[in-house]
Amino acid sequence: MEKTFNAAEAEARISKLWLDAGAFRAGANAKPGAPAFSVMIPPPNVTGSLHMGHAFNNTLQDILTRWHRMRGFDTLWQPGTDHAGIATQMVTEREMAANGEPTRREMGREKFVARVWEQKKKSRGTIIGQLQRLGCSCDWDREAFTMSGAPGAPEGEEGNFHDAVIKVFVDMYRKGLIYRGKRLVNWDPHFETAISDLEVENIEVPGHMWHFKYPLAGGETYEYVEKDAEGNVTFREVRDYISIATTRPETMLGDGAVAVHPSDERYAPIIGKFCEIPVGPKEHRRLIPIIADEYPDPTFGSGAVKITGAHDFNDYAVARRAGIPCYRLMDTRARMRDDGMPYAEAAAIAMAVARGETTLTEAEVDTINLVPDDLRGLDRYEARKRLVEQITAEGLAVTVVRKSIDKETGAEHLERVPYVESKPIMQPFGDRSKVVIEPMLTDQWFVDTAQIVGPALDAVRTGRTKIIPQSGEKTYYHWLENIEPWCISRQLWWGHQIPVWYGLDLAAPDFADDEGDGALDPVEMLRLLGDGGYVTRDARFHCAADFAGVAERFRDDLAALPVPLNAARVVEVADRAAAVDMLAAALAEYETTQDPTRLIYPVWRDPDVLDTWFSSGLWPIGTLGWPEDTPELKKYFPTSVLVTGQDILFFWVARMMMMQLAVVNDIPFRTVYLHGLVRDAKGKKMSKSLGNVIDPLEIIDEYGADALRFANAAMASLGGVLKLDTQRIAGYRNFGTKLWNACRFAEMNGVWEGHETGPAPQPKATANRWIIGETARTLTEVNEALENFRFDQAADALYKFVWGKVCDWYVEFAKPLFDGPDAAETRATMAWVLDQSMILLHPFMPFITEELWGTTGKREKLLVHTDWPDLPVTLIDRDAEREMTFVTTLIDDIRSARAQVHVPVGLKADLVATSLTDEARAAFQRNEALIKRLARVDSITEGAAPKGSIAVTAEGAAFAIPLEGLIDITEEKSRLQKALDKLTKEIAGLKGRLDNPNFVKSAPEDVVMEAQANLEARQDEARKITEALKRLADLS
RNA sequence: GGGCGGUUAGCUCAGCUGGUAGAGCGUCUCGCUUACACCGAGAAUGUCGGGGGUUCGAAUCCCUCACCGCCCA
């Protein structure tokens, strides 16, 4: 054997060994009739690459998986990747730009989607290969993808995940769990799509708060009065305006009202009156009502809030309550709108609405563009700047007096300046695009989460699904109990296109075939096409898995229409505009031909795709073949454990819970293990800009996958932050080497000759019996730790056992034993112990252990499939344990004493036993050889302590090491005195407790007994040390 | 502002249902003792964030304050 394990050379070879053997296949190594153990990998982004978070997360999954597989469970670790809509589209577009390829829009949707598939194929291997380098024992043949089987999927991307997603959408739609609506959503102006609340990061940035005057309509005035807490008037003035504070002046253009709190006496006189928005051309100023609503905080700002329903979430709620129209001001890129009728006309309509003279449908409101002509098409921030200038120029900014002193004359100047507060404001940013999110009123699809959240909550409340650590459950409840509707439509091209088709609404209420002759004359036609006709009316829509499905439903709609429309043929076109054109052409043709068979009814598909989390929400059933009733689904669902980051609890875990329960009425997993974010050694988030990113592949290159894995396991205590330190990884690489060298030592001593794995031997020598017991104890610890997901405790137990027990002591004990009569049983014991070490370490360090397994003996199976031991506790031999504790502490004490009084390490000393109980003598005699070797002792005698010796005590024994002339007497005195001081303190503490009648009375009996025994032992030791000190005093 | 978590040796962290503090790394001293210098032997280091309470006894339970982190507003 080499001196160290060559990870770089061996890992690829061992990986291949496992893969060629099909070692990771679902059910591999399962015992007949064994229970299933299944884990779904949190699918990484298909274009992503492995970062430390993945490495950590997947190490834990692999440990669980390998552990269960070795225990004979029917094990499946399901791998796969996520199509990651926005991220993948972004990556692809970026690469296309870098290559000088045409843009997405130039290409068109179909070509672009094909291009993304190319990208997917290209990058898919990256992260999968990286997971394999980490040693992940997924069933790679089953690799899944959240868009497999989607239209346009190339060869090799078959599968039915797409079918599952579409089926779920259709089913949920039919059950009324999914609806479409114009709602305020988080709009990402960079990607020009809606995103969910969870994809928004709120960050505090420096901002400004402007204060403006909204003049009351018709020059009305009121008395504005401020009072203190006692009701005394502190300020009083007659005002003709209401003061409004805003951080976003550009949204003033869309104001629909000003709101004040109903209890706010200052504004009570003007509730119900109108005020003017101080923006836009003077002659077209809009008036808006002053309303009462609970939302405004009377203590904040002026207490009055402008209500811009289409651009603020709070305002939106107020607007809905009060029936205030929400005017959209921006386009998809968050520039001020530049469409629709001129401002003068739009403002006039809005005025009429505010006065209650007319009402508009939602669709009609959306056509009203209230951006003044001079601001149309401007960026939102440019528009803000200009508006502030315009309002200030008009004198409608609230001002404050500023005092300045002229440096030359010393004269005081008082001037009024606009009141602009500079203060930090919370701003929403897109987590991918990093641009400021704009609340935007758009048509979107929503899951009515309120309807499906109940079972997901119950599953955790009743314990059917357990979340670890438990604090995760609290967070889970808190979020789900306050859940908002989930916006699932995204204005992207890469994803599952929503299975909804739209058709023009031909059921104009005033449309009739006057003559009842089935012939459409121009008059009748005009009713269809004219004002209020299908061209402007909202579309009708139907949902089905495919076009054939919706066509049928549209035919049902048409059947209710008069002749000849009822016979129109349903065809699919690109979009609404195409449909309008085509229908017009078809009607025109009908007019001349009067041939109803040639009438067509064009429908178009919703261009939006589904939120990625909607599809990954089906990962547990989708990867197992649902909606088909596959054997895998029967066997591996619900899954056993989900291991994922706590940051993903809402995004994914909660949604999987809701969706699985809604779709198949079962929990997706029995246990959810949540872990923290991996950070650098100082606890900082790893980020490219900080330059503190640790690349797991570089770590694997340098230290080996096993070292990284063991470090991950050791870090995995419950809760908290995970700080990754390369020094620690190096330490665990050393740990692997330590085991390696123990096996190498065994090899040199013929331990492996003719060795085969077998049951524990039954040796006679105490050291051998002891280490077998220690092995059994460690197994219990590891099992218990893993059952409780305490990877850190399992790793710790293994580290202490292999290094602290096997290498530090047992290997040393074996050296003299190999030269004595117990050599054969010692070889057998060592072989067995090292075998167990490899087995127990395998889930944590699969490469080095598999390599050792293969080189050290004749093995029936690969280690990956070797049985996890089941060792009876009877292997723990209490007598052997006591005896070895005596021996090891004695050796430790002798070494320590020697070192402290500077006895040369190379010197072999004599040892005189000055007092021994029978038990101590027996233990001592049986292990003489070990003590001699490890404590560097030459000869052993019994007798009185010679002059000038150092004293060592042990349980039931006292020893002296005669070293007259060699030792530093002062040093020895101070050593003993120090020990005595410590003992005295302990004795005082123990005595104090035992002398306290309350302690003896109320403490449990065994605690009292233990304290008593402890006191006696300490006192005995103190006596021995005092004697030794006395001898030293005599000497000098 | 609301919720969750944390504060233990120089650093990173263990410490379960209360019985009087541990590990790894780092530091220092010594050592080429025939598995291993990715090693061995030895050593030092803590008013367990502050205050109060419950208890015979508190790092551990309760209250409170301070600071830090995360999530949601």
Side-chain angles (χ1 to χ4, degrees), chain A residues 717 723 733-734 737-738 741 744-745 803 896 993 996 998:
Chain A
S717 59
K723 294 176 193 164
R733 186 262 328 258
N734 298 352
T737 309
K738 193 74 183 170
N741 276 291
R744 184 162 164 263
F745 168 80
W803 199 315
S896 174
R993 272 207 281 167
N996 182 341
N998 281 326

Short mmCIF file of all heavy atoms in Angstrom, two decimals, chain A residues 717 723 733-734 737-738 741 744-745 803 896 993 996 998, chain B residues 12-15 19-20 35-36 38-40 43 56 73:
data_model
loop_
_atom_site.label_atom_id
_atom_site.label_comp_id
_atom_site.label_asym_id
_atom_site.label_seq_id
_atom_site.Cartn_x
_atom_site.Cartn_y
_atom_site.Cartn_z
N SER A 717 -24.94 20.43 12.26
CA SER A 717 -25.73 20.44 13.48
C SER A 717 -27.02 21.17 13.15
O SER A 717 -27.09 21.91 12.18
CB SER A 717 -24.98 21.12 14.60
OG SER A 717 -24.66 22.44 14.24
N LYS A 723 -20.52 27.41 8.63
CA LYS A 723 -19.30 28.11 8.24
C LYS A 723 -18.26 27.10 7.78
O LYS A 723 -17.87 26.22 8.52
CB LYS A 723 -18.78 28.94 9.40
CG LYS A 723 -19.74 30.07 9.73
CD LYS A 723 -19.31 30.86 10.93
CE LYS A 723 -20.47 31.74 11.39
NZ LYS A 723 -20.29 32.25 12.73
N ARG A 733 -9.35 15.29 5.67
CA ARG A 733 -8.53 14.55 4.72
C ARG A 733 -7.50 13.75 5.51
O ARG A 733 -7.27 12.56 5.25
CB ARG A 733 -7.86 15.54 3.76
CG ARG A 733 -7.08 14.94 2.61
CD ARG A 733 -5.57 14.85 2.87
NE ARG A 733 -5.05 15.92 3.71
CZ ARG A 733 -4.40 16.98 3.26
NH1 ARG A 733 -4.17 17.11 1.96
NH2 ARG A 733 -3.94 17.89 4.10
N ASN A 734 -6.92 14.40 6.51
CA ASN A 734 -5.95 13.71 7.37
C ASN A 734 -6.58 12.52 8.08
O ASN A 734 -5.95 11.49 8.28
CB ASN A 734 -5.39 14.68 8.41
CG ASN A 734 -4.65 15.83 7.77
OD1 ASN A 734 -4.43 15.84 6.56
ND2 ASN A 734 -4.27 16.80 8.58
N THR A 737 -6.59 9.65 5.85
CA THR A 737 -5.24 9.10 5.77
C THR A 737 -4.91 8.25 7.00
O THR A 737 -4.23 7.24 6.91
CB THR A 737 -4.21 10.24 5.63
OG1 THR A 737 -4.64 11.09 4.57
CG2 THR A 737 -2.83 9.70 5.33
N LYS A 738 -5.42 8.72 8.13
CA LYS A 738 -5.18 7.99 9.38
C LYS A 738 -5.75 6.57 9.28
O LYS A 738 -5.07 5.60 9.61
CB LYS A 738 -5.84 8.77 10.52
CG LYS A 738 -5.44 8.32 11.89
CD LYS A 738 -4.04 8.76 12.24
CE LYS A 738 -3.65 8.23 13.62
NZ LYS A 738 -2.23 8.44 13.90
N ASN A 741 -3.68 4.47 6.96
CA ASN A 741 -2.43 3.98 7.50
C ASN A 741 -2.62 2.90 8.56
O ASN A 741 -1.75 2.05 8.74
CB ASN A 741 -1.59 5.14 8.03
CG ASN A 741 -0.81 5.76 6.92
OD1 ASN A 741 0.12 5.16 6.39
ND2 ASN A 741 -1.21 6.96 6.52
N ARG A 744 -2.84 0.04 6.52
CA ARG A 744 -1.52 -0.24 5.98
C ARG A 744 -0.68 -0.97 7.04
O ARG A 744 0.03 -1.93 6.75
CB ARG A 744 -0.86 1.07 5.59
CG ARG A 744 0.47 0.95 4.93
CD ARG A 744 0.81 2.23 4.19
NE ARG A 744 2.20 2.26 3.87
CZ ARG A 744 3.13 2.88 4.59
NH1 ARG A 744 2.77 3.55 5.67
NH2 ARG A 744 4.39 2.84 4.22
N PHE A 745 -0.80 -0.51 8.26
CA PHE A 745 -0.12 -1.18 9.38
C PHE A 745 -0.61 -2.62 9.49
O PHE A 745 0.18 -3.55 9.66
CB PHE A 745 -0.41 -0.41 10.67
CG PHE A 745 0.00 -1.15 11.91
CD1 PHE A 745 1.33 -1.16 12.32
CD2 PHE A 745 -0.93 -1.85 12.66
CE1 PHE A 745 1.71 -1.84 13.47
CE2 PHE A 745 -0.55 -2.54 13.80
CZ PHE A 745 0.77 -2.54 14.21
N TRP A 803 -9.99 7.41 15.18
CA TRP A 803 -8.70 8.04 15.51
C TRP A 803 -8.38 7.83 17.00
O TRP A 803 -7.30 7.35 17.36
CB TRP A 803 -8.75 9.55 15.19
CG TRP A 803 -7.38 10.17 15.07
CD1 TRP A 803 -6.33 9.97 15.90
CD2 TRP A 803 -6.93 11.06 14.04
NE1 TRP A 803 -5.25 10.69 15.47
CE2 TRP A 803 -5.58 11.37 14.33
CE3 TRP A 803 -7.52 11.64 12.92
CZ2 TRP A 803 -4.81 12.23 13.53
CZ3 TRP A 803 -6.76 12.50 12.13
CH2 TRP A 803 -5.43 12.78 12.43
N SER A 896 2.32 12.08 31.10
CA SER A 896 2.14 13.47 31.47
C SER A 896 3.15 13.88 32.54
O SER A 896 3.81 14.92 32.44
CB SER A 896 0.71 13.69 31.96
OG SER A 896 0.56 14.99 32.45
N ARG A 993 -21.68 19.94 49.03
CA ARG A 993 -22.96 19.39 48.57
C ARG A 993 -23.47 18.32 49.52
O ARG A 993 -24.63 18.30 49.91
CB ARG A 993 -22.78 18.79 47.18
CG ARG A 993 -22.99 19.81 46.08
CD ARG A 993 -23.46 19.14 44.82
NE ARG A 993 -22.36 18.51 44.11
CZ ARG A 993 -22.54 17.64 43.13
NH1 ARG A 993 -23.75 17.29 42.76
NH2 ARG A 993 -21.52 17.12 42.50
N ASN A 996 -24.85 19.34 52.78
CA ASN A 996 -26.13 20.05 52.72
C ASN A 996 -27.27 19.04 52.83
O ASN A 996 -27.47 18.22 51.94
CB ASN A 996 -26.21 20.80 51.38
CG ASN A 996 -27.49 21.61 51.26
OD1 ASN A 996 -28.46 21.35 51.98
ND2 ASN A 996 -27.49 22.57 50.36
N ASN A 998 -30.35 19.34 52.49
CA ASN A 998 -31.33 19.48 51.41
C ASN A 998 -30.93 18.71 50.17
O ASN A 998 -31.77 18.16 49.48
CB ASN A 998 -31.51 20.95 51.04
CG ASN A 998 -32.41 21.66 52.03
OD1 ASN A 998 -33.35 21.06 52.55
ND2 ASN A 998 -32.10 22.91 52.32
P U B 12 -15.65 32.59 15.04
OP1 U B 12 -16.32 33.42 14.03
OP2 U B 12 -15.97 32.76 16.48
"O5'" U B 12 -15.86 31.06 14.66
"C5'" U B 12 -15.77 30.65 13.30
"C4'" U B 12 -16.05 29.18 13.20
"O4'" U B 12 -15.01 28.44 13.89
"C3'" U B 12 -17.33 28.71 13.89
"O3'" U B 12 -18.46 28.98 13.10
"C2'" U B 12 -17.05 27.23 14.07
"O2'" U B 12 -17.22 26.52 12.88
"C1'" U B 12 -15.55 27.24 14.42
N1 U B 12 -15.33 27.22 15.88
C2 U B 12 -15.30 25.99 16.50
O2 U B 12 -15.44 24.94 15.90
N3 U B 12 -15.11 26.02 17.86
C4 U B 12 -14.94 27.15 18.65
O4 U B 12 -14.78 27.02 19.85
C5 U B 12 -14.99 28.39 17.94
C6 U B 12 -15.18 28.38 16.61
P C B 13 -19.90 29.07 13.78
OP1 C B 13 -20.89 29.31 12.73
OP2 C B 13 -19.82 29.96 14.96
"O5'" C B 13 -20.06 27.55 14.23
"C5'" C B 13 -20.83 27.18 15.33
"C4'" C B 13 -20.42 25.78 15.69
"O4'" C B 13 -19.08 25.80 16.23
"C3'" C B 13 -21.23 25.13 16.79
"O3'" C B 13 -22.41 24.57 16.24
"C2'" C B 13 -20.28 24.06 17.30
"O2'" C B 13 -20.26 22.94 16.45
"C1'" C B 13 -18.93 24.78 17.20
N1 C B 13 -18.50 25.42 18.46
C2 C B 13 -18.03 24.57 19.49
O2 C B 13 -18.00 23.36 19.29
N3 C B 13 -17.62 25.12 20.66
C4 C B 13 -17.68 26.45 20.82
N4 C B 13 -17.27 26.94 21.99
C5 C B 13 -18.16 27.32 19.80
C6 C B 13 -18.56 26.77 18.66
P A B 14 -23.67 24.32 17.16
OP1 A B 14 -24.84 24.26 16.31
OP2 A B 14 -23.67 25.22 18.34
"O5'" A B 14 -23.36 22.83 17.67
"C5'" A B 14 -22.89 22.63 18.94
"C4'" A B 14 -22.60 21.18 19.13
"O4'" A B 14 -21.20 21.07 19.43
"C3'" A B 14 -23.33 20.59 20.34
"O3'" A B 14 -24.54 20.00 19.95
"C2'" A B 14 -22.32 19.58 20.87
"O2'" A B 14 -22.35 18.38 20.12
"C1'" A B 14 -21.01 20.32 20.62
N9 A B 14 -20.68 21.26 21.71
C8 A B 14 -20.68 22.63 21.68
N7 A B 14 -20.32 23.20 22.80
C5 A B 14 -20.06 22.12 23.64
C6 A B 14 -19.63 22.04 24.97
N6 A B 14 -19.38 23.09 25.73
N1 A B 14 -19.48 20.80 25.51
C2 A B 14 -19.73 19.73 24.74
N3 A B 14 -20.14 19.67 23.47
C4 A B 14 -20.28 20.92 22.97
P G B 15 -25.88 20.35 20.71
OP1 G B 15 -26.90 19.37 20.28
OP2 G B 15 -26.12 21.80 20.56
"O5'" G B 15 -25.49 20.10 22.23
"C5'" G B 15 -25.46 18.78 22.76
"C4'" G B 15 -24.86 18.81 24.13
"O4'" G B 15 -23.57 19.46 24.09
"C3'" G B 15 -25.63 19.63 25.18
"O3'" G B 15 -26.75 18.95 25.70
"C2'" G B 15 -24.55 19.85 26.22
"O2'" G B 15 -24.29 18.70 26.97
"C1'" G B 15 -23.35 20.16 25.31
N9 G B 15 -23.30 21.61 25.05
C8 G B 15 -23.67 22.27 23.91
N7 G B 15 -23.53 23.56 24.00
C5 G B 15 -23.04 23.78 25.29
C6 G B 15 -22.70 24.97 25.96
O6 G B 15 -22.77 26.13 25.55
N1 G B 15 -22.26 24.72 27.26
C2 G B 15 -22.14 23.49 27.83
N2 G B 15 -21.70 23.46 29.08
N3 G B 15 -22.46 22.36 27.20
C4 G B 15 -22.89 22.57 25.95
P G B 19 -27.67 17.88 34.07
OP1 G B 19 -26.60 17.92 33.08
OP2 G B 19 -28.49 16.68 34.23
"O5'" G B 19 -27.06 18.22 35.50
"C5'" G B 19 -25.80 18.84 35.62
"C4'" G B 19 -25.25 18.57 37.01
"O4'" G B 19 -26.33 18.44 37.93
"C3'" G B 19 -24.40 17.31 37.10
"O3'" G B 19 -23.12 17.74 37.53
"C2'" G B 19 -25.10 16.45 38.16
"O2'" G B 19 -24.17 15.98 39.12
"C1'" G B 19 -26.03 17.42 38.86
N9 G B 19 -27.32 16.95 39.37
C8 G B 19 -28.22 16.10 38.81
N7 G B 19 -29.30 15.96 39.54
C5 G B 19 -29.07 16.75 40.66
C6 G B 19 -29.87 17.01 41.81
O6 G B 19 -30.99 16.58 42.06
N1 G B 19 -29.25 17.88 42.69
C2 G B 19 -28.02 18.43 42.49
N2 G B 19 -27.58 19.26 43.45
N3 G B 19 -27.25 18.22 41.42
C4 G B 19 -27.85 17.37 40.57
P U B 20 -21.80 17.12 37.04
OP1 U B 20 -22.00 16.66 35.66
OP2 U B 20 -21.34 16.21 38.08
"O5'" U B 20 -20.82 18.40 37.02
"C5'" U B 20 -20.85 19.32 35.91
"C4'" U B 20 -20.61 20.71 36.45
"O4'" U B 20 -21.59 20.98 37.44
"C3'" U B 20 -19.23 20.87 37.09
"O3'" U B 20 -18.58 21.98 36.47
"C2'" U B 20 -19.53 21.15 38.57
"O2'" U B 20 -18.69 22.12 39.11
"C1'" U B 20 -20.98 21.65 38.53
N1 U B 20 -21.76 21.37 39.74
C2 U B 20 -21.58 22.26 40.79
O2 U B 20 -20.81 23.20 40.71
N3 U B 20 -22.33 21.98 41.90
C4 U B 20 -23.21 20.95 42.06
O4 U B 20 -23.82 20.84 43.12
C5 U B 20 -23.34 20.08 40.93
C6 U B 20 -22.62 20.32 39.83
P A B 35 5.35 0.68 12.75
OP1 A B 35 5.07 1.30 14.02
OP2 A B 35 5.48 -0.79 12.65
"O5'" A B 35 4.21 1.09 11.71
"C5'" A B 35 4.25 0.67 10.35
"C4'" A B 35 3.26 1.49 9.56
"O4'" A B 35 1.94 1.28 10.11
"C3'" A B 35 3.49 3.00 9.64
"O3'" A B 35 4.40 3.41 8.66
"C2'" A B 35 2.09 3.53 9.39
"O2'" A B 35 1.76 3.48 8.02
"C1'" A B 35 1.22 2.50 10.13
N9 A B 35 0.94 2.86 11.51
C8 A B 35 1.70 2.60 12.62
N7 A B 35 1.17 3.02 13.74
C5 A B 35 -0.02 3.61 13.35
C6 A B 35 -1.05 4.25 14.05
N6 A B 35 -1.04 4.40 15.39
N1 A B 35 -2.09 4.73 13.35
C2 A B 35 -2.11 4.57 12.02
N3 A B 35 -1.19 3.97 11.24
C4 A B 35 -0.18 3.51 11.97
P C B 36 5.33 4.70 8.90
OP1 C B 36 6.26 4.79 7.77
OP2 C B 36 5.84 4.66 10.29
"O5'" C B 36 4.28 5.90 8.80
"C5'" C B 36 3.69 6.24 7.54
"C4'" C B 36 2.53 7.16 7.77
"O4'" C B 36 1.61 6.55 8.70
"C3'" C B 36 2.87 8.49 8.44
"O3'" C B 36 3.29 9.43 7.47
"C2'" C B 36 1.53 8.90 9.04
"O2'" C B 36 0.67 9.47 8.08
"C1'" C B 36 0.96 7.54 9.46
N1 C B 36 1.15 7.27 10.91
C2 C B 36 0.12 7.62 11.79
O2 C B 36 -0.90 8.14 11.34
N3 C B 36 0.28 7.39 13.12
C4 C B 36 1.40 6.82 13.56
N4 C B 36 1.51 6.61 14.87
C5 C B 36 2.46 6.45 12.68
C6 C B 36 2.30 6.69 11.37
P C B 38 2.79 16.22 6.14
OP1 C B 38 3.20 15.23 5.19
OP2 C B 38 2.89 17.66 5.85
"O5'" C B 38 1.28 15.90 6.60
"C5'" C B 38 0.45 16.85 7.36
"C4'" C B 38 -0.81 16.10 7.68
"O4'" C B 38 -1.54 15.96 6.44
"C3'" C B 38 -0.46 14.70 8.17
"O3'" C B 38 -0.61 14.48 9.56
"C2'" C B 38 -1.08 13.71 7.12
"O2'" C B 38 -1.92 12.77 7.77
"C1'" C B 38 -1.86 14.62 6.19
N1 C B 38 -1.63 14.36 4.76
C2 C B 38 -2.68 13.80 4.01
O2 C B 38 -3.72 13.51 4.59
N3 C B 38 -2.51 13.60 2.69
C4 C B 38 -1.35 13.93 2.11
N4 C B 38 -1.24 13.73 0.81
C5 C B 38 -0.28 14.48 2.84
C6 C B 38 -0.45 14.67 4.16
P C B 39 -1.62 14.77 10.56
OP1 C B 39 -2.97 14.54 10.03
OP2 C B 39 -1.27 16.03 11.23
"O5'" C B 39 -1.27 13.59 11.55
"C5'" C B 39 -1.07 12.26 11.06
"C4'" C B 39 0.08 11.61 11.78
"O4'" C B 39 1.34 12.16 11.34
"C3'" C B 39 0.15 11.82 13.28
"O3'" C B 39 -0.81 11.05 13.96
"C2'" C B 39 1.57 11.40 13.56
"O2'" C B 39 1.72 10.01 13.49
"C1'" C B 39 2.30 12.04 12.38
N1 C B 39 2.81 13.38 12.73
C2 C B 39 3.94 13.47 13.57
O2 C B 39 4.47 12.42 13.98
N3 C B 39 4.43 14.68 13.90
C4 C B 39 3.84 15.77 13.43
N4 C B 39 4.35 16.96 13.78
C5 C B 39 2.69 15.72 12.59
C6 C B 39 2.21 14.51 12.27
P G B 40 -1.42 11.58 15.30
OP1 G B 40 -2.57 10.72 15.61
OP2 G B 40 -1.58 13.05 15.27
"O5'" G B 40 -0.25 11.26 16.32
"C5'" G B 40 0.19 9.92 16.48
"C4'" G B 40 1.38 9.89 17.39
"O4'" G B 40 2.49 10.57 16.76
"C3'" G B 40 1.23 10.62 18.72
"O3'" G B 40 0.50 9.85 19.65
"C2'" G B 40 2.68 10.80 19.12
"O2'" G B 40 3.25 9.59 19.55
"C1'" G B 40 3.29 11.18 17.76
N9 G B 40 3.30 12.64 17.55
C8 G B 40 2.52 13.37 16.69
N7 G B 40 2.77 14.64 16.73
C5 G B 40 3.78 14.77 17.69
C6 G B 40 4.47 15.92 18.16
O6 G B 40 4.32 17.10 17.82
N1 G B 40 5.41 15.59 19.14
C2 G B 40 5.66 14.32 19.59
N2 G B 40 6.60 14.20 20.52
N3 G B 40 5.04 13.24 19.14
C4 G B 40 4.12 13.53 18.19
P A B 43 -0.90 17.07 29.59
OP1 A B 43 -1.25 16.82 31.00
OP2 A B 43 -1.85 16.70 28.51
"O5'" A B 43 -0.53 18.61 29.41
"C5'" A B 43 0.41 19.21 30.29
"C4'" A B 43 0.68 20.62 29.87
"O4'" A B 43 1.13 20.65 28.48
"C3'" A B 43 -0.54 21.54 29.86
"O3'" A B 43 -0.80 22.02 31.17
"C2'" A B 43 -0.07 22.66 28.92
"O2'" A B 43 0.82 23.53 29.57
"C1'" A B 43 0.71 21.85 27.87
N9 A B 43 -0.10 21.53 26.69
C8 A B 43 -0.65 20.33 26.33
N7 A B 43 -1.30 20.35 25.20
C5 A B 43 -1.16 21.66 24.77
C6 A B 43 -1.62 22.33 23.63
N6 A B 43 -2.33 21.75 22.66
N1 A B 43 -1.31 23.64 23.50
C2 A B 43 -0.59 24.23 24.46
N3 A B 43 -0.10 23.70 25.58
C4 A B 43 -0.43 22.40 25.67
P C B 56 -35.17 23.79 47.24
OP1 C B 56 -35.77 22.65 47.96
OP2 C B 56 -35.51 25.19 47.61
"O5'" C B 56 -33.58 23.65 47.28
"C5'" C B 56 -32.86 24.07 48.43
"C4'" C B 56 -31.44 23.61 48.32
"O4'" C B 56 -31.41 22.15 48.34
"C3'" C B 56 -30.74 23.97 47.02
"O3'" C B 56 -30.22 25.27 47.06
"C2'" C B 56 -29.65 22.91 46.94
"O2'" C B 56 -28.56 23.22 47.77
"C1'" C B 56 -30.37 21.68 47.49
N1 C B 56 -30.98 20.84 46.44
C2 C B 56 -30.13 20.08 45.61
O2 C B 56 -28.90 20.15 45.77
N3 C B 56 -30.67 19.30 44.65
C4 C B 56 -32.00 19.25 44.51
N4 C B 56 -32.48 18.46 43.55
C5 C B 56 -32.88 20.01 45.33
C6 C B 56 -32.33 20.79 46.28
P A B 73 -43.51 39.86 2.45
OP1 A B 73 -44.36 39.47 1.33
OP2 A B 73 -42.24 40.57 2.20
"O5'" A B 73 -44.38 40.71 3.47
"C5'" A B 73 -44.37 42.10 3.38
"C4'" A B 73 -44.95 42.66 4.65
"O4'" A B 73 -44.04 42.37 5.74
"C3'" A B 73 -45.07 44.18 4.63
"O3'" A B 73 -46.35 44.55 4.13
"C2'" A B 73 -44.84 44.58 6.08
"O2'" A B 73 -46.01 44.48 6.84
"C1'" A B 73 -43.84 43.51 6.55
N9 A B 73 -42.44 43.92 6.40
C8 A B 73 -41.49 43.38 5.58
N7 A B 73 -40.32 43.95 5.66
C5 A B 73 -40.50 44.95 6.62
C6 A B 73 -39.65 45.90 7.18
N6 A B 73 -38.37 46.02 6.83
N1 A B 73 -40.15 46.74 8.11
C2 A B 73 -41.44 46.63 8.44
N3 A B 73 -42.34 45.75 8.00
C4 A B 73 -41.81 44.94 7.08
#
